[in-house]
Amino acid sequence: MAERLLVRALKGGKNTKIVTLNGKKITKMPSTLEKLPGLKTLDLQNNRIPKVCPEISTLTQLTSLNLGNNLLEEVPEEMKYLTSLKKLHLFGNRIHRFASGACDGLQNLILLSLNNNQLTWIPPEVSRLKSLTYLSINHNWLASIPRELCFLKNLSELQLNYNQLICIPEEIKFLKNLQKLFLVRNNIEVLPEGFCDLINLRSLDIAGNVIQIFPSGFQNLKLREFYCEENPLLMKQPVHAVKQEGVWRLQEITSRFIMNQLAEKNLFLMQAFEWYPQVRNIISQGRKCAICGKSFLAVWLECVEFVPPSKNWKISRNLQLVPLRILICSYKCFNQRGPNVFGIAQVESR
C-alpha cells in the first residue's frame, strides 16, 4: 500500500506537493523522496522509522514535516537543509539529543513539537530558531532551561509540562511576546523576579510544583488564566514570634552606605566605583527595601504580603490570596509594615 502511494506521488514529480504515509509500518524513509523537489508537506507519522534518509536534504521547499511516533533517537542533522520548514513534529520518539548543527538552517521554523521523548537538555543552539513561535517539550526529562532559549523573541507559547525542572532562568524576562506558559508537574521552587516583566503573558499554569511564594509585582501581570493548584503556597496563619535583632557584617554596613550614596548621585563614589569591578559585582546584587526604599545587600528579613488575585484572572478554585515575596532591610522597617505583610516563620506542629 505504501509503495503504491509513493509510486503515485513519484509520477507527479515536481508537481507533487503532499505525501502522506501515516501508519504504514514503514521501517526506512524512502530515498526516492529526492525525486520530489517541489514537496511541501511530508507526513510519516505512526511508523517505525529509526533515522531519516540523507536524500531528505534535497527537499528545500518542504514547509511541514511530521515524523511523530517513530523510532528516532535524535533531532537529525539533516534538518538544517530544510530551510523552508515551518512546522516540525517529532513527538513520540526516543529522542535524547540534538545532532550537531540540527538547528542551523531552521530560521523559518514556527512550530516545534518534541513531546514524549527522552530529552534531558536543550542545546544553546536552540537560539538559532529565530522565527519560532510555538515550542512544546512536554513529557521529557529536562532538568533545566538554557538561557539561550529566552532569546527567542517571537516565542508566544512554551509548553514544558511533566519534566524535572527545578528553576526558571532570570533571562525569561526577555520573552516579551510570550502569551502562554505551561510548567505543570515539575519541581520548580521559585519564579525569578524577571518573571514579572512578561507583559504579554495571558495564560500561566504552574500546577503541581513546589512553589511557596511569588515575586513582588506578580499580581500586576495581565493574566486571563492562572492555575497553581498542588503547590505548597504560604498560608495566612499569623503566629506570635520573638524578634531577634542581628549584628550586621562589615560588608553589609559598607555596601548599604555605598549603594545609598550612589542612589544620591555621590560624584566621588560614582567615579571611584569604575575602578573596582569586584565591588561593582557585589553591589549589583543589592536589593531595595519594600518599606523605606533604601538598598541593602543581604536578605535581612524575608516577608510575605498576601494580596487577592486579580478579578480578571480565571484561577484555581481554592486560590483566595496570592503570597508575594517582600524584602525588608531591618526590624525598624518591619515595624512600619502594612497589615497584610508578615514575616515568614516555620511552625512546628505538636
Side-chain angles (χ1 to χ4, degrees):
M1 181 64 177
E3 290 80 2
R4 288 202 303 270
L5 290 171
L6 189 56
V7 168
R8 190 184 307 168
L10 290 171
K11 287 181 178 180
K14 295 181 179 180
N15 296 321
T16 298
K17 304 299 181 185
I18 300 174
V19 169
T20 301
L21 295 172
N22 296 333
K24 303 301 181 184
K25 300 182 181 181
I26 299 173
T27 58
K28 183 179 180 181
M29 182 179 287
S31 59
T32 49
L33 287 171
E34 66 178 346
K35 298 179 180 180
L36 303 173
L39 198 63
K40 297 286 187 181
T41 300
L42 177 57
D43 284 340
L44 295 170
Q45 182 180 339
N46 299 329
N47 284 290
R48 300 171 184 172
I49 300 171
K51 60 187 297 185
V52 301
C53 61
E55 290 80 7
I56 197 174
S57 61
T58 63
L59 304 181
T60 56
Q61 295 186 40
L62 196 68
T63 59
S64 179
L65 174 60
N66 190 338
L67 284 165
N69 293 331
N70 276 281
L71 303 176
L72 299 177
E73 295 188 359
E74 66 177 9
V75 178
E77 180 183 4
E78 288 81 1
M79 296 298 100
K80 67 182 180 182
Y81 300 110
L82 306 181
T83 53
S84 298
L85 199 63
K86 294 184 177 181
K87 296 180 181 180
L88 178 57
H89 298 276
L90 296 172
F91 57 84
N93 280 274
R94 302 173 180 176
I95 295 172
H96 56 87
R97 71 185 185 98
F98 282 67
S100 177
C103 298
D104 288 357
L106 297 176
Q107 288 87 358
N108 291 307
L109 194 67
I110 294 174
L111 179 151
L112 176 58
S113 173
L114 285 161
N115 297 336
N116 297 99
N117 279 289
Q118 300 170 16
L119 287 167
T120 58
W121 60 284
I122 305 171
E125 290 77 17
V126 71
S127 62
R128 297 173 185 171
L129 307 179
K130 301 295 186 181
S131 300
L132 200 65
T133 62
Y134 177 96
L135 176 59
S136 186
I137 318 181
N138 299 326
H139 292 276
N140 277 263
W141 303 340
L142 297 176
S144 63
I145 301 173
R147 59 190 295 273
E148 289 81 4
L149 187 149
C150 300
F151 302 136
L152 297 174
K153 63 180 182 179
N154 292 309
L155 198 64
S156 65
E157 182 167 344
L158 177 59
Q159 297 194 19
L160 297 170
N161 300 323
Y162 292 89
N163 279 281
Q164 299 173 14
L165 302 173
I166 59 174
C167 64
I168 305 296
E170 181 67 33
E171 288 82 4
I172 196 170
K173 63 186 177 182
F174 296 122
L175 293 176
K176 298 298 186 184
N177 288 311
L178 193 64
Q179 298 181 28
K180 296 181 180 181
L181 178 58
F182 302 95
L183 298 167
V184 176
R185 299 289 178 186
N186 281 279
N187 298 308
I188 299 168
E189 298 179 359
V190 64
L191 298 180
E193 292 184 9
F195 202 90
C196 300
D197 294 333
L198 299 177
I199 56 176
N200 287 307
L201 191 64
R202 298 295 178 263
S203 297
L204 174 63
D205 195 339
I206 53 169
N209 282 277
V210 287
I211 295 170
Q212 290 187 300
I213 194 169
F214 297 103
S216 179
F218 182 85
Q219 76 278 19
N220 297 322
L221 289 173
K222 306 299 182 183
L223 297 174
R224 293 173 186 155
E225 296 180 289
F226 173 49
Y227 303 106
C228 62
E229 57 268 28
E230 298 186 54
N231 278 278
L233 298 180
L234 292 177
M235 305 297 291
K236 187 177 180 181
Q237 297 174 340
V239 297
H240 290 288
V242 177
K243 294 181 290 186
Q244 297 179 341
E245 290 283 358
V247 178
W248 295 354
R249 296 168 56 196
L250 181 60
Q251 184 186 58
E252 180 69 25
I253 296 172
T254 306
S255 298
R256 291 191 182 203
F257 174 78
I258 292 174
M259 287 188 288
N260 290 317
Q261 286 295 307
L262 289 172
E264 295 175 7
K265 307 296 183 183
N266 183 308
L267 186 60
F268 173 77
L269 276 178
M270 291 174 70
Q271 292 175 341
F273 196 57
E274 297 300 320
W275 294 95
Y276 297 93
Q278 187 175 1
V279 175
R280 287 205 309 271
N281 182 53
I282 294 173
I283 297 301
S284 67
Q285 301 172 29
R287 307 291 183 88
K288 282 192 176 182
C289 175
I291 305 299
C292 70
K294 291 185 177 180
S295 299
F296 62 96
L297 186 61
V299 178
W300 181 247
L301 189 60
E302 185 177 21
C303 298
V304 57
E305 179 181 12
F306 292 96
V307 301
S310 171
K311 295 180 179 179
N312 296 322
W313 295 2
K314 182 180 179 182
I315 59 175
S316 302
R317 184 181 304 172
N318 297 324
L319 183 64
Q320 297 179 347
L321 292 172
V322 178
L324 302 178
R325 186 171 186 244
I326 301 293
L327 301 181
I328 296 177
C329 70
S330 66
Y331 277 114
K332 178 181 178 181
C333 285
F334 180 70
N335 291 330
Q336 300 173 19
R337 71 192 188 281
N340 287 318
V341 176
F342 301 85
I344 299 175
Q346 289 185 343
V347 180
E348 296 183 0
S349 58
R350 294 182 178 179

Coordinates of all heavy atoms in Angstrom, one line a residue, residues 92-129:
G92 N 6.7 11.7 20.4 CA 6.6 10.2 20.5 C 7.7 9.4 19.9 O 7.4 8.3 19.3
N93 N 8.9 9.9 20.0 CA 10.0 9.1 19.5 C 10.9 8.7 20.7 O 10.4 8.6 21.8 CB 10.9 9.9 18.5 CG 10.3 9.9 17.1 OD1 10.5 9.0 16.3 ND2 9.4 10.9 16.8
R94 N 12.2 8.5 20.5 CA 13.1 8.1 21.6 C 14.2 9.1 21.6 O 15.4 8.8 22.0 CB 13.7 6.7 21.3 CG 12.6 5.6 21.3 CD 13.2 4.3 20.9 NE 12.1 3.2 20.9 CZ 12.4 2.0 20.5 NH1 13.6 1.6 20.1 NH2 11.4 1.1 20.5
I95 N 13.9 10.3 21.2 CA 14.9 11.4 21.0 C 15.5 11.8 22.4 O 14.8 12.1 23.3 CB 14.3 12.6 20.3 CG1 13.9 12.2 18.9 CG2 15.3 13.8 20.3 CD1 13.1 13.3 18.2
H96 N 16.9 11.7 22.5 CA 17.6 12.1 23.7 C 18.6 13.2 23.5 O 19.3 13.6 24.4 CB 18.2 10.9 24.4 CG 19.2 10.1 23.5 ND1 20.5 10.5 23.4 CD2 19.0 9.1 22.7 CE1 21.1 9.7 22.6 NE2 20.2 8.8 22.1
R97 N 18.7 13.6 22.2 CA 19.7 14.7 21.9 C 19.4 15.3 20.6 O 18.7 14.8 19.8 CB 21.1 14.1 21.9 CG 21.5 13.2 20.8 CD 22.9 12.6 20.9 NE 23.3 11.9 19.7 CZ 24.0 12.3 18.7 NH1 24.5 13.6 18.8 NH2 24.3 11.6 17.7
F98 N 20.0 16.5 20.4 CA 20.0 17.2 19.1 C 21.3 16.9 18.4 O 22.4 17.1 19.0 CB 19.9 18.7 19.3 CG 18.5 19.2 19.6 CD1 17.9 18.9 20.8 CD2 17.9 20.1 18.8 CE1 16.7 19.4 21.2 CE2 16.6 20.6 19.1 CZ 16.0 20.2 20.3
A99 N 21.3 16.5 17.2 CA 22.5 16.3 16.4 C 23.2 17.6 16.2 O 22.5 18.6 16.1 CB 22.2 15.6 15.1
S100 N 24.5 17.6 16.1 CA 25.2 18.8 15.9 C 24.8 19.5 14.6 O 24.7 18.9 13.5 CB 26.7 18.5 15.8 OG 27.5 19.7 15.5
G101 N 24.4 20.8 14.7 CA 24.0 21.6 13.5 C 22.6 21.4 13.1 O 22.1 22.0 12.2
A102 N 21.8 20.7 13.9 CA 20.4 20.4 13.5 C 19.6 21.7 13.4 O 18.6 21.8 12.6 CB 19.8 19.5 14.5
C103 N 19.9 22.7 14.2 CA 19.2 23.9 14.2 C 19.7 25.0 13.2 O 19.0 26.1 13.1 CB 19.2 24.6 15.6 SG 18.5 23.5 16.9
D104 N 20.8 24.7 12.6 CA 21.5 25.7 11.8 C 20.6 26.4 10.7 O 20.7 27.6 10.5 CB 22.7 25.2 11.2 CG 23.8 24.9 12.2 OD1 23.6 25.3 13.4 OD2 24.9 24.4 11.9
G105 N 19.8 25.6 10.0 CA 19.1 26.1 8.8 C 17.6 26.4 9.0 O 16.9 26.6 8.0
L106 N 17.2 26.3 10.3 CA 15.7 26.3 10.5 C 15.3 27.7 10.9 O 14.5 27.9 11.8 CB 15.4 25.3 11.6 CG 15.6 23.8 11.2 CD1 15.4 22.9 12.4 CD2 14.8 23.4 10.0
Q107 N 15.8 28.7 10.2 CA 15.4 30.1 10.6 C 13.9 30.4 10.3 O 13.4 31.4 10.9 CB 16.3 31.1 9.7 CG 17.7 31.2 10.2 CD 18.6 30.2 9.5 OE1 18.1 29.3 8.7 NE2 19.9 30.2 9.8
N108 N 13.2 29.6 9.5 CA 11.8 29.9 9.2 C 10.9 29.0 10.0 O 9.7 29.1 9.9 CB 11.5 29.6 7.7 CG 12.2 30.7 6.9 OD1 12.0 31.9 7.1 ND2 13.0 30.2 5.9
L109 N 11.4 28.2 10.9 CA 10.6 27.2 11.7 C 9.7 28.0 12.7 O 10.2 28.8 13.5 CB 11.5 26.3 12.5 CG 10.8 25.0 13.1 CD1 10.2 24.1 11.9 CD2 11.7 24.3 14.0
I110 N 8.4 27.7 12.7 CA 7.5 28.4 13.5 C 7.0 27.5 14.7 O 6.8 27.9 15.8 CB 6.2 28.9 12.7 CG1 6.6 29.9 11.7 CG2 5.1 29.4 13.6 CD1 5.5 30.3 10.8
L111 N 6.9 26.2 14.4 CA 6.4 25.2 15.3 C 7.3 24.1 15.5 O 7.7 23.5 14.5 CB 5.0 24.8 14.9 CG 4.3 23.7 15.8 CD1 2.7 23.9 15.7 CD2 4.6 22.3 15.4
L112 N 7.6 23.7 16.7 CA 8.4 22.5 17.0 C 7.8 21.8 18.2 O 7.7 22.3 19.3 CB 9.9 22.9 17.4 CG 10.8 21.8 17.8 CD1 11.0 20.8 16.7 CD2 12.2 22.4 18.2
S113 N 7.5 20.5 17.9 CA 6.9 19.6 18.9 C 7.8 18.4 19.2 O 8.1 17.7 18.3 CB 5.5 19.1 18.4 OG 5.0 18.2 19.4
L114 N 8.2 18.4 20.5 CA 9.1 17.3 20.9 C 8.5 16.5 22.1 O 9.2 16.0 22.9 CB 10.5 17.8 21.2 CG 11.4 18.3 20.0 CD1 12.5 19.2 20.5 CD2 12.0 17.0 19.4
N115 N 7.2 16.5 22.2 CA 6.5 15.9 23.3 C 6.9 14.4 23.4 O 7.1 13.8 22.3 CB 5.0 16.1 23.2 CG 4.6 17.5 23.3 OD1 5.3 18.3 23.9 ND2 3.4 17.8 22.8
N116 N 6.9 13.8 24.6 CA 7.0 12.4 24.8 C 8.3 11.8 24.1 O 8.2 10.9 23.3 CB 5.8 11.6 24.2 CG 4.5 12.0 25.0 OD1 3.7 12.8 24.5 ND2 4.3 11.4 26.1
N117 N 9.4 12.4 24.6 CA 10.7 11.9 24.2 C 11.6 11.7 25.4 O 11.0 11.6 26.5 CB 11.4 12.8 23.2 CG 10.9 12.6 21.7 OD1 11.2 11.6 21.1 ND2 10.1 13.6 21.2
Q118 N 12.9 11.7 25.3 CA 13.8 11.4 26.4 C 14.8 12.5 26.5 O 16.0 12.2 27.0 CB 14.4 10.0 26.2 CG 13.4 8.9 26.1 CD 14.0 7.6 25.7 OE1 15.2 7.4 25.7 NE2 13.2 6.6 25.2
L119 N 14.5 13.7 26.2 CA 15.5 14.8 26.3 C 15.8 15.2 27.7 O 14.9 15.3 28.5 CB 14.9 16.0 25.6 CG 14.9 16.0 24.0 CD1 14.1 17.1 23.4 CD2 16.4 16.0 23.5
T120 N 17.1 15.3 28.1 CA 17.5 15.7 29.4 C 18.0 17.2 29.3 O 18.2 17.8 30.4 CB 18.6 14.8 30.0 OG1 19.7 14.8 29.1 CG2 18.0 13.4 30.1
W121 N 18.2 17.7 28.1 CA 18.7 19.0 28.0 C 18.4 19.6 26.6 O 18.1 18.8 25.7 CB 20.3 19.1 28.2 CG 21.0 18.2 27.2 CD1 21.1 16.9 27.2 CD2 21.7 18.7 26.1 NE1 21.9 16.5 26.1 CE2 22.3 17.6 25.4 CE3 22.0 20.0 25.5 CZ2 23.0 17.6 24.3 CZ3 22.8 20.1 24.4 CH2 23.3 18.9 23.7
I122 N 18.4 20.9 26.5 CA 18.2 21.6 25.2 C 19.5 22.3 24.9 O 20.0 23.1 25.7 CB 17.0 22.6 25.3 CG1 15.8 21.9 25.8 CG2 16.8 23.3 24.0 CD1 14.6 22.9 26.2
P123 N 20.0 22.2 23.7 CA 21.3 22.8 23.4 C 21.2 24.3 23.2 O 20.1 24.8 22.9 CB 21.7 22.2 22.1 CG 20.4 21.8 21.4 CD 19.5 21.4 22.6
P124 N 22.2 25.1 23.5 CA 22.2 26.5 23.4 C 21.8 26.9 21.9 O 21.3 28.0 21.7 CB 23.6 27.0 23.7 CG 24.1 25.9 24.6 CD 23.5 24.6 24.1
E125 N 22.1 26.1 21.0 CA 21.9 26.4 19.6 C 20.4 26.6 19.2 O 20.0 27.0 18.2 CB 22.4 25.2 18.7 CG 23.9 25.2 18.6 CD 24.5 24.5 19.8 OE1 23.8 23.9 20.6 OE2 25.7 24.7 20.1
V126 N 19.5 26.3 20.2 CA 18.1 26.5 20.0 C 17.8 28.0 19.7 O 16.8 28.3 19.1 CB 17.3 26.0 21.2 CG1 17.5 26.9 22.4 CG2 15.8 25.9 20.9
S127 N 18.7 28.8 20.2 CA 18.5 30.3 19.9 C 18.6 30.6 18.4 O 18.2 31.8 18.1 CB 19.6 31.1 20.7 OG 20.9 30.7 20.2
R128 N 19.0 29.7 17.6 CA 19.1 30.0 16.1 C 17.7 29.9 15.5 O 17.5 30.2 14.3 CB 20.0 29.0 15.5 CG 21.5 29.2 16.0 CD 22.4 28.1 15.5 NE 23.7 28.2 16.0 CZ 24.7 27.3 15.9 NH1 24.5 26.2 15.2 NH2 25.9 27.5 16.5
L129 N 16.7 29.3 16.2 CA 15.4 29.2 15.6 C 14.6 30.5 15.8 O 13.7 30.7 16.5 CB 14.6 28.1 16.4 CG 15.3 26.7 16.4 CD1 14.5 25.7 17.2 CD2 15.6 26.2 15.0

